[in-house]
Amino acid sequence: MAKTALITGASSGIGREIARNLYAKGFRCILCARREDRLAELAQELGENTRIVVSDLSKKEDCFSLYEQVKDEKIGVLINGAGFGLFGKFCETELETELKMIDTNITAVHILTKLFLKDFIARDSGYIMNIASSAGLMSGGPYMSTYYATKAYVADFTSAVARELAEQGSRVHVCALCPGPVDTEFNEVAGCSFGVRAISAKECSDTAVKGMFSGKTIIVPSATLKFVSVGSRLIPRNLLVAMTGKVQSKKGEL
Ligand SMILES: NC(=O)c1ccc[n+]([C@@H]2O[C@H](COP(=O)([O-])OP(=O)(O)OC[C@H]3O[C@@H](n4cnc5c(N)ncnc54)[C@H](OP(=O)(O)O)[C@@H]3O)[C@@H](O)[C@H]2O)c1
């Protein structure tokens, strides 16, 4: 039987490319997002065996229901890719959108990691990739404050769980993908534009999948961003936040 991968955020961008990559490696894919037409289109491209599950992962009940619908399909890889950002001054951005962001970017990742990890540990195999961001490695991002904080949660939580697994001698692998700008629908949804060159979703996904299967915990898929994230650890926190804010402020109208 083919190995099965569950990919959330598979209707677009990085998630869609990761699904294509895993399919090419022989995985049967289960694709999850809200836009059914997009999932159906990708399922048709990938072949008959592909399954789609339409879920709004900002709702806890959809996260639990997703798990219930696929838990018996021997998932070997879970990609937690669904997520979005929002640009603007914190005092002006919509509270409702931010609460949905926290639910999608943090709570859904937390619930799905917890549920699938227990099954993976029982089998002593499996891979979980949580899509964080290089934003999560930067100590805070003015004008995208909630987004940066959600991604810091994902990066920190994933590193800690990965360490626990390593200390238990587990063969289950958990990692966080921390890209810089990637050319997807992210900007359109967040209401901003990148100030620096973005890599393609394919380049990001290829590096991500390679990093995951080679056992990396934090995957930063571009040399420049790798340099920035390592270099940023040497900069005092207040200064780093101010520098990040300068870059962020150029991404749109404030
Ligand atoms: N693009 C970048 O520069 C960049 C950089 C670092 C990290 N990331 C992260 O990468 C991940 C993928 O983003 P992307 O760049 O590929 O953007 P994208 O093209 O906008 O894709 C976002 C995906 O998340 C899904 N999604 C959003 N809200 C959802 C919800 N409530 N329930 C279920 N699915 C939901 C979307 O599907 P539906 O709309 O069909 O539900 C879509 O498939 C995100 O976590 C993002 O934060 C992106």
Side-chain angles (χ1 to χ4, degrees):
M1 197 170 69
K3 303 160 281 181
T4 301
L6 168 63
I7 302 110
T8 77
S11 63
S12 171
I14 302 169
R16 183 166 58 191
E17 286 304 325
I18 290 181
R20 284 178 173 141
N21 183 311
L22 290 173
Y23 179 79
K25 288 190 166 47
F27 283 86
R28 176 182 167 252
C29 292
I30 302 178
L31 312 171
C32 175
R34 292 166 301 181
R35 284 172 291 178
E36 188 171 7
D37 54 335
R38 290 285 199 92
L39 295 178
E41 210 175 286
L42 181 59
Q44 198 171 22
E45 175 191 321
L46 299 187
E48 267 178 13
N49 217 2
T50 308
R51 179 175 171 194
I52 67 173
V53 180
V54 177
S55 307
D56 180 348
L57 297 176
S58 69
K59 298 178 180 159
K60 279 195 196 73
E61 59 272 26
D62 278 29
C63 298
F64 288 109
S65 160
L66 170 62
Y67 174 73
E68 287 301 322
Q69 289 177 66
V70 305
K71 68 177 187 200
D72 296 328
E73 301 208 25
K74 295 211 168 48
I75 309 288
V77 173
L78 165 64
I79 308 291
N80 277 312
F84 69 98
L86 178 66
F87 178 79
K89 291 181 185 157
F90 180 72
C91 59
E92 293 173 1
T93 44
E94 279 245 330
L95 178 59
E96 269 316 304
T97 309
E98 283 163 345
L99 294 178
K100 261 196 172 182
M101 191 198 304
I102 292 166
D103 288 339
T104 309
N105 294 10
I106 294 180
T107 311
V109 173
H110 190 115
I111 292 172
L112 294 173
T113 300
K114 172 83 87 184
L115 296 176
F116 284 99
L117 186 60
K118 288 187 175 188
D119 294 347
F120 288 8
I121 287 173
R123 292 201 311 260
D124 201 22
S125 71
Y127 292 83
I128 298 178
M129 185 198 290
N130 293 329
I131 305 193
S133 169
S134 55
L137 308 173
M138 302 306 286
S139 302
Y143 312 118
M144 278 189 114
S145 53
T146 309
Y147 179 72
Y148 271 63
T150 65
K151 294 304 183 179
Y153 181 98
V154 176
D156 287 1
F157 149 81
T158 306
S159 300
V161 174
R163 182 68 206 164
E164 289 180 17
L165 291 169
E167 287 183 7
Q168 289 157 24
S170 172
R171 288 197 295 182
V172 178
H173 180 64
V174 176
C175 61
L177 173 63
C178 297
V182 185
D183 191 11
T184 66
E185 293 170 16
F186 180 89
N187 277 347
E188 202 182 310
V189 175
C192 61
S193 59
F194 297 133
V196 292
R197 192 189 75 85
I199 61 171
S200 71
K202 183 170 186 325
E203 183 182 346
C204 176
S205 306
D206 289 352
T207 312
V209 172
K210 200 169 159 206
M212 174 175 76
F213 287 133
S214 65
K216 287 195 173 150
T217 302
I218 296 287
I219 303 161
V220 182
S222 101
T224 318
L225 257 299
K226 237 179 246 168
F227 178 75
V228 170
S229 57
V230 172
S232 65
R233 285 185 224 139
L234 307 170
I235 303 172
R237 188 179 174 97
N238 282 349
L239 180 59
L240 180 60
V241 176
M243 288 163 67
T244 309
K246 266 250 176 305
V247 175
Q248 284 292 126
S249 66
K250 298 196 174 97
K251 286 186 172 175
E253 293 259 317
L254 287 168

